[in-house]
Amino acid sequence: MALEVDLETGKVEILDYVGVADCGTVFHPQGLTQQMKGGGVWGIGFALFERQIYDPQNGLPGNTGFEQCKSATYLDVPSIMCWDAVAIADPQNPVGARAMGEPPMGASASAILCAISDALGGHLFNRTPVVPDMIINYVAGREQSSRPLQIHTA
Amino acid sequence: MPRDMMASFELYQPDSVDNAIDLLGRFGEDGWPIAGGNDTLDWFKDRVKYAQYVVDLTGIAELRGIRETPGGIEIGALTTLTEIEQSPLLQERYRVLADAARRVASPQIRNTGTLGGNVNQDTRCWYYRYGTDCYRAGGTTCYADTPQGQNREHCLWGADRCVAVSPSDTAPALVALDARMVVRNADGEREVAAEDYFIGPDVDIERMTILEPGELLTAVRLPSEWAGAKFYFEKVADRNTWDFPLVNIAAAMFVESGTIARIRIAAGAVECVPRRLTVVEEVVTGSPQNAETAALAGQAAVRGATPLNYNHFKIPLLENLVKRAIRDA
């Protein structure tokens, strides 16, 4: 994942995406392509756009329509997304296969968050999605409107 | 709350502006003009607003098209955003408006969405759209301006019970171009400056423009005074398409031998109306167009901003966008 962060507008532009799957023997390359790219786009949504809005005082949900859910659009993802597979057969499985439906989402989201952190000199927001206001506030030295999510270690 | 199914209404399809005005005048508060329908049908399907009589304007040919006039250019209110975006005339003389139209929503919406609809659309405050009994909806509360209110998209200036903002991308461009809005009613036609066309909650909390029931925006006139100026438009939204602005900026300026001679600049989504930044205009007029002037302009632009809990990022964002507009136009 390679991206650019605009420090004046807080916008993140993804320049390059490569996903590599350790998914055992590949049986259906076209299906794998779709999972790698589609999951990657979902991960982009997780990391940058799909924000849940909720008013705790009145118990009102803000995301009541598709438009407010803000899944990534064509202009928010790289025009070319590449993938590959390690293609090492899984010894535990009779046909050497492994499941790989979900890994591209988490991997893509994590890669974006790491890249943003790298672009901002190592700063961690500890919260997703990382939206323009968080980057603008960080660059301007302002306090964030939302606190980092708490880690529950009971 | 039932969603997705519209309540039934009577549909009228006039073929001339006179007929439309006649119908809207007759229906008064119960009438609702519809053009592209991108805003209207959301209201109806969510069953938050309802109109008994809907007047479909799309069959009125005289409301369409981009025409040259002796004083500049006249754009019919029913002209689609795609037509504006692709018009060679606008791209050549008033590029800022074509650029603004290009950043509205998505290509599908721009194909049906009209200039009139874009400037007259209602605010996107999600509490108001949700159907709460807020001030703007005739109630006695603002849900957004509370300690826990989710007000990231709301205003920095002009709060008066309501903190909603103007969602339009073309409106700041029209203010920057000193456009004239042509309003028709049963008594005839009048021209209003774009700057005076939009109104805040202090004037009327339930409307966003001066349009009264029974009135229609028929055209927008762009004066030749600002044709061919140096332009700048930028919109910052979460997504690059199909999203409303967090802040947008439109500027028109004439630069003579490196010095800013004349300028108009306006920002959207920071106030209930497109905010003309007169203080920036005063600061930069007569100054060289460089990074130093741009930095001063940015600082001047945000003076007096009163942020809410979640929207204070708009202060540095507006400052940066003004800086860019002056520096990079």
Side-chain angles (χ1 to χ4, degrees), chain B residues 51-321:
Chain B
Q52 204 175 342
Y53 307 105
V54 174
V55 180
D56 176 13
L57 306 173
T58 52
I60 307 177
E62 58 189 299
L63 283 178
R64 290 186 187 277
I66 300 167
R67 302 169 281 272
E68 267 192 87
T69 61
I73 283 179
E74 185 177 276
I75 306 171
L78 211 62
T79 309
T80 66
L81 295 162
T82 303
E83 284 163 353
I84 289 173
E85 170 191 340
Q86 293 175 353
S87 156
L89 203 56
L90 290 175
Q91 283 175 1
E92 186 201 325
R93 296 190 207 166
Y94 303 98
R95 208 197 63 230
V96 68
L97 182 59
D99 287 350
R102 185 175 302 117
R103 290 301 324 277
V104 176
S106 65
Q108 293 93 330
I109 293 172
R110 294 197 294 272
N111 284 340
T112 54
T114 64
L115 181 63
N118 189 261
V119 297
N120 289 327
Q121 66 182 314
D122 214 337
T123 182
R124 303 303 302 192
C125 170
W126 71 267
Y127 292 97
Y128 173 57
R129 295 252 163 192
Y130 192 84
T132 61
D133 55 341
C134 71
Y135 279 118
R136 187 168 286 280
T140 53
T141 317
C142 173
Y143 290 81
D145 190 11
T146 65
Q148 295 190 56
Q150 298 299 303
N151 46 34
R152 174 176 178 257
E153 290 81 17
H154 292 71
C155 75
L156 293 178
W157 283 279
D160 185 341
R161 294 160 291 154
C162 178
V163 291
V165 293
S166 155
S168 173
D169 289 315
T170 57
L174 294 180
V175 171
L177 289 170
D178 198 10
R180 306 281 144 170
M181 318 298 271
V182 183
V183 177
R184 279 261 291 268
N185 62 18
D187 299 331
E189 182 181 297
R190 69 185 196 277
E191 230 186 54
V192 183
E195 215 183 329
D196 304 325
Y197 181 76
F198 301 95
I199 54 175
D202 53 332
V203 180
D204 188 337
I205 202 161
E206 294 184 20
R207 289 186 294 159
M208 298 195 75
T209 68
I210 56 156
L211 282 191
E212 304 256 12
E215 291 189 329
L216 215 50
L217 173 75
T218 56
V220 174
R221 293 180 184 143
L222 304 178
S224 49
E225 195 189 345
W226 293 93
K230 276 180 130 182
F231 294 118
Y232 190 87
F233 182 86
E234 186 166 3
K235 165 181 178 176
V236 176
D238 285 320
R239 295 190 293 191
N240 290 329
T241 185
W242 198 26
D243 212 344
F244 288 93
L246 293 169
V247 176
N248 58 20
I249 191 101
M253 67 177 87
F254 285 101
V255 179
E256 286 161 15
S257 49
T259 301
I260 300 170
R262 276 194 298 147
I263 178 169
R264 277 177 76 99
I265 180 165
V270 293
E271 194 177 337
C272 190
V273 298
R275 180 178 176 80
R276 186 174 168 203
L277 303 167
T278 39
V279 63
V280 171
E281 295 170 8
E282 283 160 18
V283 165
V284 304
T285 303
S287 297
Q289 187 193 9
N290 59 24
E292 199 186 333
T293 307
L296 281 175
Q299 287 162 14
V302 298
R303 248 178 252 151
T306 312
L308 308 164
N309 282 349
Y310 288 87
N311 76 349
H312 62 90
F313 74 97
K314 284 190 179 183
I315 295 176
L317 178 55
L318 177 63
E319 181 174 343
N320 290 340
L321 287 182

Side-chain angles (χ1 to χ4, degrees), chain A residues 9-33:
Chain A
T9 62
K11 289 287 290 177
V12 173
E13 193 188 345
I14 300 169
L15 306 174
D16 197 7
Y17 168 92
V18 183
V20 181
D22 181 10
C23 57
T25 307
V26 178
F27 290 104
H28 196 307
Q30 192 188 6
L32 179 59
T33 308

